[in-house]
Structures are given as structure tokens and as C-alpha cells.
């Protein structure tokens, strides 16, 4: 069982930055991929970014590429999402997710079904 707790959300002006954190409870954190997804009101949950078990591979949705950076610190059991140049359309609830059952296999990480565990979400609101 893995518990994920997000933090770092809030209200920010367009063009500003936020850093989201996702703390995992399991000591096996370094053995699986992590992803960030978001869901805006009335919309489906969408992929934002993913990082493999050791941070060596990352992937981003086109809408955030060049503005967001995903990373992880396995010593701290924490994944991060650095969000720069925020836009109003980035407003959403952001969720982190853990792909525990596939371990180090880096595949289909843009698909929500890939992930076993999810955090409770943190709200990010970008104002103009």
C-alpha cells in the first residue's frame, strides 16, 4: 500500500510559478514511475508529466512542455512538479500517481489506468 500526499498548490497570477510536491509513504519509492495529472472543472483528467524510477526519463504533455519540470528525490520519497509561466488554462486540481505494479518498466505512462495509487489532489488556480 502506498499513500501519496500532494502539497504546494494555491493561487498564483498568470506568469507566476508554483512547485508541487508529492510525498510517498513507501520505502520502495525508488522502484517505480511517478506521474502528474490534472482535472479542470467539467473536463476529464489529463496527463501532465511523468518520470521513471531513477529520474532518467521524463515525458510531458505538449501543453506544458518547456514550462513544467518533473523531478524526484528518491532519498526523500518525493516527486515534484515545478510549474513556471503559468497560464489561466493551467487551473485545475493536480494529482500525483504511482505506477507501483509495473516497477521500472517505462511504458504507457500517459495513461491513467497505468497507475495504482493516487493522491488526494491539490488545487492550482491561475488568475489573470
Amino acid at each position: 500500500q502506498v499513500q501519496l500526499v500532494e502539497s504546494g498548490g494555491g493561487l498564483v497570477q498568470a506568469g507566476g510559478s508554483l512547485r508541487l510536491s508529492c510525498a510517498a509513504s513507501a520505502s520502495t519509492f525508488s522502484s517505480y514511475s511517478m506521474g502528474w495529472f490534472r482535472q479542470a472543472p467539467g473536463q476529464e483528467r489529463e496527463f501532465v508529466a511523468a518520470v521513471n524510477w531513477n529520474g532518467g526519463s521524463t515525458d510531458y504533455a505538449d501543453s506544458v512542455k518547456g514550462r513544467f519540470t518533473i523531478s524526484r528525490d528518491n532519498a526523500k520519497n518525493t516527486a515534484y512538479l515545478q510549474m513556471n509561466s503559468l497560464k489561466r488554462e493551467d487551473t485545475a486540481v493536480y494529482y500525483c500517481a504511482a505506477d507501483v505494479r509495473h516497477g521500472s518498466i517505462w511504458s504507457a505512462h500517459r495513461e491513467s489506468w497505468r497507475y495504482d495509487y493516487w493522491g488526494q489532489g491539490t488545487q492550482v488556480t491561475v488568475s489573470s
Side-chain angles (χ1 to χ4, degrees):
Q1 194 80 1
V2 176
Q3 292 185 325
L4 303 174
V5 179
E6 301 102 334
S7 61
L11 175 64
V12 64
Q13 286 192 329
S17 298
L18 283 175
R19 189 176 82 153
L20 305 183
S21 298
C22 175
S25 62
S27 60
T28 56
F29 179 76
S30 62
S31 63
Y32 49 80
S33 301
M34 294 291 296
W36 285 96
F37 290 75
R38 66 186 182 187
Q39 188 168 19
Q43 297 187 22
E44 294 187 353
R45 189 172 298 189
E46 65 173 1
F47 168 77
V48 176
V51 60
N52 77 328
W53 65 279
N54 66 355
S57 295
T58 58
D59 190 24
Y60 298 91
D62 287 345
S63 59
V64 307
K65 198 171 294 184
R67 299 188 298 121
F68 290 12
T69 302
I70 189 171
S71 62
R72 65 190 299 159
D73 185 338
N74 287 343
K76 296 183 178 179
N77 287 1
T78 303
Y80 303 97
L81 186 67
Q82 177 67 44
M83 305 186 295
N84 299 330
S85 303
L86 282 160
K87 306 175 181 180
R88 286 194 64 184
E89 50 264 44
D90 294 319
T91 295
V93 177
Y94 283 72
Y95 300 89
C96 68
D99 178 13
V100 175
R101 69 181 183 275
H102 297 103
S104 61
I105 299 174
W106 179 241
S107 176
H109 43 265
R110 294 188 173 211
E111 307 298 331
S112 60
W113 55 258
R114 180 82 175 178
Y115 297 86
D116 312 288
Y117 299 97
W118 294 80
Q120 82 288 350
T122 186
Q123 176 70 47
V124 172
T125 303
V126 184
S127 64
S128 58

